[in-house]
Amino acid sequence: MAVKVSLKVNGKSVSAEVEERTLLVTVIREHLRLTGTHVGCDTAQCGACTVSMNGKAVKSCSMLAMQAEGADVMTIEGVAKPDGTLHPMQAAFKEHHGLQCGFCTPGMVMNAIDFAKSHPNPSESEIREALEGNLCRCTGYHNIVKAIGAGAKAMAAGK
Amino acid sequence: MHAFKYHRPSSVNDAAALAKGEAKLLAGGQTLVQTMKLRLASPSDIIDLGTIKDLAGIKSDGKTVTIGAMTRHADVAHSADVKKAIPALAALAGMIGDRQVRAMGTCGGSIANNDPAADYPAAAMALNATITTNKGKYEAEKFFKGMFTTALGAGEIITSISFQVPKRAAYTKFKNPASRFAIVGVFVADFGGSVRVAVTGAGPSVFRQADMEKALSAKFAPESVANIKVKQDGLNSDMHASAEYRAHLVTVMAKRAVEAALK
Amino acid sequence: MGAPLIGARVERKEDYRFLTGAGQYTDDVDLPRQCYAAFVRSPHAHAVIKKINSAKARKSAGFVAIYTGEDFAAAKLGGLPCGWLITDVNGQPMKEPPHPCLAQGKVRYVGDQVAIVVAETIDQARDAAELVEVDYEVLTAVVDGSKATAKGAPQLHEAAPNNTCYVWAIGDKAAADAAFAKAAHVTKLDLINNRLVPNAMEPRVAIGSYSRADDSYTLYVASQNPHVERLLMTAFVMGLPEHKVRVVAGDVGGGFGSKIYLYAEDVAVTWTSKQINRPVKWTSDRSEAFLTDAHGRDHHTVAELAMDKDGHFLGMRVKTTANVGAYLSTFASCVPTILYATLLAGQYKTPVIHCEVTAVFTNTTPVDAYRGAGRPEATYVVERLVETAAREMKIDPAEIRRRNFITAFPYQTPVALMYDIGDYNATMDAAQKLGDVAGYPARKKASEAKGKLRGLGYAAYIEACGIAPSAVAGALGARAGLFEAGEVRVHPTGSVTVFTGSHSHGQGHETTFAQVVADRLGMPIENVDIVHGDTSKVLFGMGTYGSRSIAVGGTAIVKALDKVIAKGKKIAAHLMEAAESDVVFENGAYTVAGTDKKKMFGEVAFAAYVPHNYPHDKLEPGLNENAFYDPSNFTFPAGTYVCEVEVDPETGVVKIEKFTAVDDFGNIINPMIVEGQVHGGLTQGIGQALTEGCQYDASGQLTTGSFMDYCIPRATDVPFYQVDTRVTACTHNPLGVKGCGEAGAIGAPAALMNAITDALGVKDMPMPASPQTVWRTLKNKKAA
Ligand SMILES: Cc1cc2nc3c(=O)[nH]c(=O)nc-3n(C[C@H](O)[C@H](O)[C@H](O)COP(=O)(O)OP(=O)(O)OC[C@H]3O[C@@H](n4cnc5c(N)ncnc54)[C@H](O)[C@@H]3O)c2cc1C
Ligand code: FES
Ligand code: FES
């Protein structure tokens, strides 16, 4: 049966008519056509689907859309400034070559931004642990870890 | 995912009234949504506990720490009250899955699910927790019945879990390299002379290790457990860890937990 | 012009779109009126299909269509072809049993396609697929390659008696036996190269779209080589003319080999879209990916190395059983032969080598090229042997390697390849220094003081990249050419669009190739865009695999650039009223030697398109050139890896303390991108050695079928790497480049296992060195 779900995505109020079994990621990708959020697994391990919900990084593949009723969701499309300037975390990924195929990247960035809010100057091991829920098959994490360290500092410096 | 009907009750009573037949309660969804996605569970109805007020929250009164069923793992891990009263419990919550999972998964969901490899059941057993539901109270000892089974009856909803504050405690976890659940997790809690040791991951359900409790109650030191050989009979065996390896790890993890508790 | 672009750490042009969610991966494509496909897959590893009943499925909500193997047979769709013919030791062609897109009467692995079901939504397609009732008669299965040829083993294919695809050999057996007869010492190992699941983070996706308007098809697919996909699909399976089929592989989320092949699903959605006259989309989920993406490796090998009393290598004998799975995937046959045995010389002047390979069918997912493809298996054999030999002969493992390094080039190996250039001592020296091997004994002591075991291991690998000289490949059985195509389109105002047949799915071609072009043309990199991945835009291509992109694809572009510059010179000569031979092109300008005459490249381009003053008698207008480049040899990247581990003997946990990689990739266009490729390759190699092992139970069920059980490395499993390069420029391509995409995955497993066996003090142990396996190895050692 179709039900209505209403939420805020990237600052805009949106609603969608969905089947009750619809996942949040499906609403984001298919109803709202925000295809930057990806699906890389079906067991909640890869983190490619990570979005921010009410300020916290969550896996949008592991939630019903109905669970996000009334929530404030931010996807990768909402991260850069309105004029297109990259967020400091995005800029750090670019500068440090923290992405290759780009498939894991939106999830990495969404998780990293949330993590950096509470870790303005994270250590290597803090960053690696924060990435337990994000898999990348391309980069070997080396440059992602460097990027997140730099991005966190840049965020703290208010860049 | 198979189709189902979705409900958003506003009270525990309403939720209980809906929880009939093939209906399922939904907490953080970190277990349930997964199993539904893989079509391993097909509930007729989903009853979302997410909007019921007062199910989430942490209270600490020096003797017990009470965690509301809908309290997220991350909130327990970061709670100043929990860190102060039972740092091992905060640390345990911070070891569950990954930070995104911790932002959603709940204490009540974990306890209700009683996954043999879950972390919370170890804390509940070692910290002599009381599980409160809409129908009554259970001692942890009597709550965990076996693999994925608990004392919960139909329509019964966990509302909170009260953990007793020990003198000192620690939890050590040997993670499954792939899933990050516990292959073996050992929670050691010293209540001043009386020590409880709970083991998760190793068996079909969380259990207490009597030999270790005895030895540690006599002397709370790593060497008290270092040479205790755990029997492998009845322990889990899978591609990641045989029963023999798990039995060995219980001893190693227990020893390290005691070391950590003493630090 | 600013600083030179070649060799610069230029930030990637593609990053902005990936970082803002604007990438266009195949699953991001939705077509009007599209419907969704789900596949009915075999739950059994080996079974006869007795009956398929789709009555219930047809009644389910949103149902659109179902097709089974019978429908495909009736439509005369061919099976999936194999692109490489191996000739066996008796001079017979390999056995190529039919590989139908949808099972014909029998299923041969769990996941084998039985039917395609199409519905209005993805959930409805899955609902309907679940309702298809298939009556199976279950047969016994064989999953272990080393048991496939045993007496009484279940037989998969009528056309392949004894489950044998081929027995193939290379090298001089008699000479090898003679070398062993006079050896002072022989080192022997029984090695398993564990089966791996590639697991690119983007699962496969295919959208077939047929247009009645012009009787044409478009296939959007996550592929590493759209032209090859089209060629195989049109010519071998569907019998269609190529101009009626367009294949688009936009942004692709990693491949590592698994997206080279033509898969059944690609054909099925394309064909079905015509039957129902609607686009059909299929998106693999991860569980399906585990079952159906071609797996990698799976060798069982007995290897021996003969030495004189000083540790000089006299000969090598290798016998390998390669498990190719249930069917021959697109390049399955060449991986354990041409890409494997030819690399067994490694960096050493071993004078004689003999290798025999038996390829067998089993009831498992087909196996094909996965990052490194044959070369990691070869390196594992060679480098495990060499390290073990050093220990047995009490020679320092670096020293035994140096004693046997090839130092004079070109060098003809006893296994067909001709190395053009290299400096193996240079990479060994640098790796030892960067990895502070001198400080190792002190670190070992410190570990021991903590009750930990420490070990150090080397791998000095070589690989053959830039596949391949077509004539050589053809003589070895390749059924396609292996050149690359490139086209340089100069626009009237001088900016440039380059079309390459190479494909990027993380490698950064849009940046690296643009650096090459901008450097040659002396223009800012912003003026160059690289286009790839669409058969309707790019003239032709063989795609990306075998670390061939820059060496072959890049060279094709350089050849096209040469033509552009040469034509521009003629135009410039005309414009400047000078003799063509006096005109030079440098830093983006044509000048006449000894004068101040000068025409910028943009001015020349403009003249080509607005040819008012133009040598019409000699030249056509326009400035657009293409080139096909067929390499004259392989390239031979090589390097030394040093790995240091610390093992917790109580738990068996291995921690990588240091990983040092010094590679020789020839000239480097963008060191930042090259380092990234090395990091990623190393991590996949570490995955093979430490965490990843694909397992089937005896009945053929995949027991590592999700990330819950199959562990690809996480950030906490790996360290920061120490990487560096040394350069000997490739002698036979104009850029002097060799390729860097696979090296890490090739060298890392051997280095890591050498370090772990060193720490444990054992001769060998199986991969992956999971905590349990390490613990058990130590326990067995103590018991012995
Ligand atoms: C990637 C990943 C890694 C994980 N790693 C770990 C780990 O390392 N350790 C670990 O312990 N867990 C781990 N988990 C599980 C996680 O902790 C879950 O959050 C938890 O097990 C279930 O909590 P939930 O709130 O998500 O419950 P749900 O998934 O919503 O529900 C789980 C079950 O409990 C029932 N239920 C929920 N709430 C109540 C209630 N109040 N009363 C009665 N019944 C109820 C539901 O009906 C359902 O059957 C992991 C999960 C994921 C996805
Ligand atoms: S898609 Fe959400 S965790 Fe993999
Ligand atoms: S960049 Fe490809 S998966 Fe991370």
Side-chain angles (χ1 to χ4, degrees):
Chain A
M1 211 187 74
V3 286
K4 190 172 154 190
V5 58
S6 305
L7 61 162
K8 218 183 216 181
V9 177
N10 299 332
K12 266 203 255 150
S13 296
V14 294
S15 60
E17 294 281 327
V18 299
E19 266 195 280
E20 294 167 294
R21 58 174 155 171
T22 308
L23 297 168
L24 176 59
V25 68
T26 310
V27 167
I28 292 171
R29 285 184 56 80
E30 285 170 23
H31 294 256
L32 305 177
R33 303 289 310 147
L34 293 168
T35 54
T37 303
H38 297 150
V39 175
C41 75
D42 45 16
T43 53
Q45 304 273 321
C46 77
C49 62
T50 302
V51 299
S52 161
M53 187 174 80
N54 299 329
K56 284 186 190 141
V58 297
K59 293 178 175 173
S60 62
C61 75
S62 304
M63 287 182 62
L64 301 177
M66 299 304 283
Q67 283 177 281
E69 174 70 29
D72 190 349
V73 170
M74 166 127 73
T75 69
I76 189 70
E77 286 89 348
V79 170
K81 287 207 188 120
D83 71 354
T85 311
L86 293 179
H87 180 280
M89 189 60 79
Q90 290 171 313
F93 268 70
K94 186 164 191 284
E95 187 186 338
H96 292 270
H97 188 31
L99 63 154
Q100 290 181 22
C101 79
F103 196 78
C104 71
T105 309
M108 289 282 178
V109 170
M110 295 314 294
N111 186 30
I113 289 174
D114 179 31
F115 165 74
K117 283 188 287 190
S118 52
H119 294 82
N121 188 14
S123 68
E124 179 196 341
S125 64
E126 282 173 330
I127 298 172
R128 289 188 187 274
E129 268 158 38
L131 294 177
E132 287 271 281
N134 292 80
L135 296 173
C136 173
R137 195 59 157 163
C138 297
T139 64
Y141 305 101
H142 186 106
N143 288 335
I144 291 181
V145 175
K146 299 235 145 130
I148 293 176
K153 276 190 206 147
M155 277 170 65
K159 275 183 199 155
Chain B
M1 201 182 292
H2 291 115
F4 54 80
K5 211 166 149 28
Y6 175 87
H7 307 271
R8 196 179 280 140
S10 54
S11 72
V12 173
N13 282 345
D14 291 355
L18 288 163
K20 282 192 216 117
E22 297 297 300
K24 276 249 173 218
L25 301 168
L26 176 70
Q30 300 302 287
T31 296
L32 186 55
V33 173
Q34 298 318 315
T35 43
M36 289 178 6
K37 251 173 34 181
L38 296 171
R39 298 185 168 227
L40 301 172
S42 343
S44 59
D45 295 74
I46 281 293
I47 303 150
D48 191 347
L49 303 178
T51 46
I52 300 178
K53 275 201 198 102
D54 305 331
L55 271 185
I58 296 167
K59 279 185 229 121
S60 174
D61 64 9
K63 280 201 182 133
T64 56
V65 169
T66 301
I67 296 179
M70 283 300 293
T71 314
R72 316 281 171 178
H73 305 327
D75 294 328
V76 176
H78 297 137
S79 156
D81 287 340
V82 181
K83 279 188 191 163
K84 187 161 162 253
I86 321 177
L89 184 61
L92 173 144
M95 277 181 226
I96 297 175
D98 53 63
R99 51 194 312 285
Q100 294 99 311
V101 166
R102 293 195 290 274
M104 286 298 291
T106 67
C107 183
S110 179
I111 297 279
N113 195 46
N114 194 19
D115 187 313
D119 298 301
Y120 264 123
M125 281 285 253
L127 297 172
N128 200 12
T130 304
I131 292 124
T132 306
T133 74
N134 58 333
K135 299 200 172 150
K137 288 184 192 293
Y138 300 89
E139 279 174 39
E141 204 81 32
K142 303 210 171 106
F143 182 80
F144 301 108
K145 294 282 187 193
M147 195 181 286
F148 294 109
T149 45
T150 64
L152 288 176
E156 191 162 6
I157 301 172
I158 300 178
T159 51
S160 67
I161 301 105
S162 298
F163 300 88
Q164 295 188 7
V165 176
K167 186 172 140 204
R168 54 195 167 192
Y171 178 65
T172 47
K173 175 177 182 181
F174 193 83
K175 289 183 187 181
N176 176 317
S179 74
R180 262 41 177 183
F181 275 82
I183 279 183
V184 167
V186 178
F187 202 113
V188 173
D190 179 4
F191 288 91
S194 136
V195 175
R196 292 169 71 103
V197 177
V199 180
T200 189
S205 178
V206 62
F207 63 89
R208 287 173 63 188
Q209 222 297 335
D211 296 342
M212 292 182 174
E213 292 190 349
K214 206 169 132 203
L216 288 170
S217 297
K219 186 180 176 204
F220 196 78
E223 53 284 11
S224 301
V225 290
N227 293 315
I228 294 181
K229 286 237 178 316
V230 175
K231 287 211 191 69
Q232 64 186 68
D233 305 350
L235 296 191
N236 300 335
S237 200
D238 56 34
M239 76 180 101
H240 303 288
S242 64
E244 182 195 9
Y245 182 50
R246 278 193 162 86
H248 166 79
L249 285 176
V250 171
T251 304
V252 177
M253 291 298 113
K255 186 183 78 174
R256 293 185 182 180
V258 176
E259 280 166 6
L262 287 168
K263 259 186 205 148
Chain C
M1 269 304 287
L5 278 167
I6 301 279
R9 309 178 81 87
V10 177
E11 283 184 26
R12 297 202 319 170
K13 288 164 79 83
E14 42 274 82
D15 286 354
Y16 187 88
R17 73 172 183 274
F18 293 144
L19 281 162
T20 53
Q24 276 290 301
Y25 300 86
T26 308
D27 194 43
D28 302 340
V29 175
D30 273 340
L31 301 177
R33 299 179 55 248
Q34 149 186 307
C35 45
Y36 294 82
F39 286 84
V40 176
R41 298 185 181 279
S42 171
H44 305 293
H46 201 188
V48 173
I49 299 175
K50 291 169 70 183
K51 210 174 129 203
I52 301 175
N53 181 354
S54 57
K56 280 188 197 153
R58 287 174 190 277
K59 285 190 206 125
S60 74
F63 174 88
V64 175
I66 176 169
Y67 300 100
T68 67
E70 267 178 36
D71 301 309
F72 275 43
K76 300 213 161 34
L77 289 174
L80 300 174
C82 179
W84 204 295
L85 174 73
I86 294 295
T87 302
D88 83 0
V89 282
N90 299 318
Q92 298 298 311
M94 67 184 186
K95 302 292 189 297
E96 284 183 86
H99 185 180
C101 294
L102 296 182
Q104 309 277 341
K106 206 175 165 192
V107 286
R108 293 182 178 84
Y109 69 100
V110 174
D112 209 349
Q113 292 78 216
V114 174
I116 175 172
V117 178
V118 183
E120 296 295 340
T121 71
I122 180 66
D123 278 325
Q124 290 173 339
R126 287 181 180 164
D127 291 345
E130 249 182 19
L131 293 171
V132 176
E133 291 165 353
V134 187
D135 191 5
Y136 294 101
E137 178 191 331
V138 179
L139 308 172
T140 19
V142 59
V143 295
D144 183 342
S146 58
K147 293 184 184 145
T149 54
K151 252 212 183 107
Q155 299 293 301
L156 270 79
H157 299 280
E158 256 168 48
N162 218 13
N163 295 326
T164 303
C165 179
Y166 53 75
V167 178
W168 174 92
I170 189 169
D172 185 336
K173 174 101 170 46
D177 289 345
F180 275 81
K182 62 174 193 209
H185 183 80
V186 171
T187 292
K188 186 172 176 181
L189 282 169
D190 192 336
L191 298 168
I192 288 174
N193 206 283
N194 43 328
R195 181 186 277 243
L196 303 174
V197 185
N199 275 315
M201 288 320 299
E202 178 206 28
R204 288 189 293 124
V205 185
I207 311 169
S209 174
Y210 174 74
S211 162
R212 276 194 186 158
D214 53 5
D215 188 27
S216 73
Y217 300 80
T218 304
L219 171 65
Y220 298 86
V221 61
S223 169
Q224 300 177 218
N225 47 357
H227 284 89
V228 176
E229 172 116 19
R230 180 177 70 169
L231 176 65
L232 294 173
M233 191 166 74
T234 53
F236 296 94
V237 186
M238 297 183 70
L240 294 170
E242 273 174 283
H243 71 288
K244 289 294 187 190
V245 179
R246 171 183 174 205
V247 176
V248 184
D251 287 327
V252 173
F256 316 114
S258 67
K259 292 173 184 164
I260 296 173
Y261 323 115
L262 175 63
Y263 285 96
E265 294 88 351
D266 307 349
V267 176
V269 296
T270 306
W271 182 80
T272 300
S273 74
K274 177 170 180 179
Q275 311 314 306
I276 62 174
N277 197 29
R278 287 176 65 178
V280 179
K281 180 174 191 172
W282 170 73
T283 302
S284 169
D285 57 29
R286 184 59 56 187
S287 301
E288 268 180 305
F290 269 99
L291 291 175
T292 65
D293 290 5
H295 291 175
R297 321 280 193 256
D298 205 342
H299 283 195
H300 188 166
T301 295
V302 177
E304 298 169 282
L305 179 64
M307 283 153 285
D308 70 11
K309 65 175 187 4
D310 299 317
H312 295 114
F313 306 159
L314 303 176
M316 185 186 284
R317 285 191 299 223
V318 178
K319 239 182 139 151
T320 294
T321 301
N323 183 346
V324 297
Y327 303 97
L328 275 179
S329 172
T330 313
F331 287 112
S333 52
C334 70
V335 176
T337 48
I338 310 304
L339 298 178
Y340 165 67
T342 56
L343 272 301
L344 288 169
Q347 300 186 353
Y348 312 108
K349 33 191 190 205
T350 314
V352 286
I353 296 172
H354 181 259
C355 175
E356 183 188 285
V357 180
T358 306
V360 299
F361 294 105
T362 63
N363 297 108
T364 59
T365 301
V367 175
D368 207 324
Y370 164 59
R371 201 172 196 168
R375 292 154 290 165
E377 296 91 315
T379 300
Y380 194 64
V381 168
V382 175
E383 291 302 292
R384 288 288 296 117
L385 269 179
V386 168
E387 192 101 358
T388 309
R391 289 176 198 162
E392 288 176 352
M393 299 191 73
K394 307 217 165 359
I395 302 172
D396 176 80
E399 170 55 27
I400 201 170
R401 287 179 167 89
R402 290 178 192 276
R403 255 176 230 178
N404 290 283
F405 276 159
I406 296 159
T407 49
F409 295 89
Y411 177 82
Q412 175 65 53
T413 74
V415 275
L417 297 177
M418 168 89 84
Y419 299 167
D420 63 331
I421 194 161
D423 185 348
Y424 310 138
N425 277 303
T427 43
M428 173 61 86
D429 289 344
Q432 287 192 306
K433 211 164 159 209
L434 186 62
D436 184 28
V437 173
Y440 172 71
R443 294 192 294 275
K444 187 171 171 74
K445 257 206 190 124
S447 293
E448 279 165 1
K450 292 186 293 180
K452 301 280 165 68
L453 308 170
R454 202 177 185 98
L456 181 141
Y458 292 91
Y461 77 92
I462 192 160
E463 56 164 332
C465 292
I467 187 166
S470 292
V472 177
L476 294 171
R479 285 166 167 162
L482 284 161
F483 54 84
E484 196 49 274
E487 177 179 353
V488 176
R489 185 175 302 168
V490 183
H491 302 291
T493 52
S495 68
V496 176
T497 304
V498 175
F499 300 82
T500 174
S502 184
H503 190 275
S504 180
H505 29 281
Q507 294 87 347
H509 290 9
E510 290 167 41
T511 306
T512 308
F513 287 11
Q515 281 177 257
V516 170
V517 173
D519 182 88
R520 292 260 153 160
L521 296 180
M523 59 174 58
I525 193 165
E526 292 73 28
N527 289 8
V528 183
D529 269 355
I530 308 291
V531 173
H532 63 92
D534 184 341
T535 59
S536 71
K537 293 181 182 164
V538 178
L539 74 165
F540 198 72
M542 296 306 298
T544 291
Y545 40 84
S547 305
R548 67 195 300 273
S549 290
I550 192 69
V552 192
T555 301
I557 292 171
V558 168
K559 299 265 172 198
L561 283 171
D562 288 345
K563 292 185 191 173
V564 163
I565 292 168
K567 183 171 179 185
K569 194 182 256 183
K570 289 196 168 79
I571 301 168
H574 173 89
L575 293 175
M576 297 189 287
E577 294 170 344
E580 192 190 326
S581 57
D582 291 337
V583 176
V584 284
F585 182 68
E586 238 175 29
N587 297 330
Y590 290 96
T591 52
V592 180
T595 73
D596 58 359
K597 287 182 180 173
K598 183 171 177 179
K599 285 283 169 198
M600 296 309 291
F601 181 76
E603 295 176 83
V604 170
F606 193 75
Y609 286 96
V610 188
H612 300 162
N613 173 16
Y614 197 77
H616 286 286
D617 51 335
K618 292 189 215 113
L619 287 180
E620 295 167 6
L623 198 50
N624 187 88
E625 298 287 346
N626 64 51
F628 287 74
Y629 171 68
D630 202 317
S632 60
N633 191 2
F634 294 87
T635 63
F636 298 98
T640 294
Y641 294 171
V642 190
C643 175
E644 231 176 285
V645 298
E646 194 179 74
V647 178
D648 176 352
E650 275 190 331
T651 58
V653 170
V654 174
K655 184 159 176 262
I656 301 170
E657 291 287 332
K658 259 174 174 312
F659 206 113
T660 308
V662 179
D663 296 283
D664 178 355
F665 297 133
N667 290 333
I668 286 175
I669 314 291
N670 186 329
M672 177 188 87
I673 287 178
V674 167
E675 286 161 16
Q677 289 292 308
V678 174
H679 298 154
L682 289 175
T683 305
Q684 287 183 11
I686 287 170
Q688 167 161 36
L690 219 49
T691 65
E692 297 179 41
C694 176
Q695 292 182 30
Y696 286 90
D697 69 13
S699 73
Q701 294 296 331
L702 180 65
T703 51
T704 48
S706 81
F707 290 138
M708 295 292 280
D709 287 312
Y710 186 94
C711 178
I712 72 172
R714 284 184 170 78
T716 44
D717 295 324
V718 292
F720 277 138
Y721 301 109
Q722 297 171 287
V723 303
D724 199 1
T725 51
R726 288 292 174 274
V727 177
T728 62
C730 173
T731 59
H732 53 80
N733 64 47
L735 293 167
V737 292
K738 300 183 184 177
C740 67
E742 294 161 293
I746 291 170
L752 194 49
M753 294 312 290
N754 283 339
I756 296 172
T757 51
D758 179 44
L760 303 188
V762 297
K763 182 171 172 182
D764 190 32
M765 65 169 294
M767 295 192 282
S770 68
Q772 168 168 248
T773 305
V774 170
W775 175 76
R776 191 176 292 142
T777 303
L778 274 172
K779 191 163 168 275
N780 293 344
K781 184 190 165 203
K782 251 189 237 151

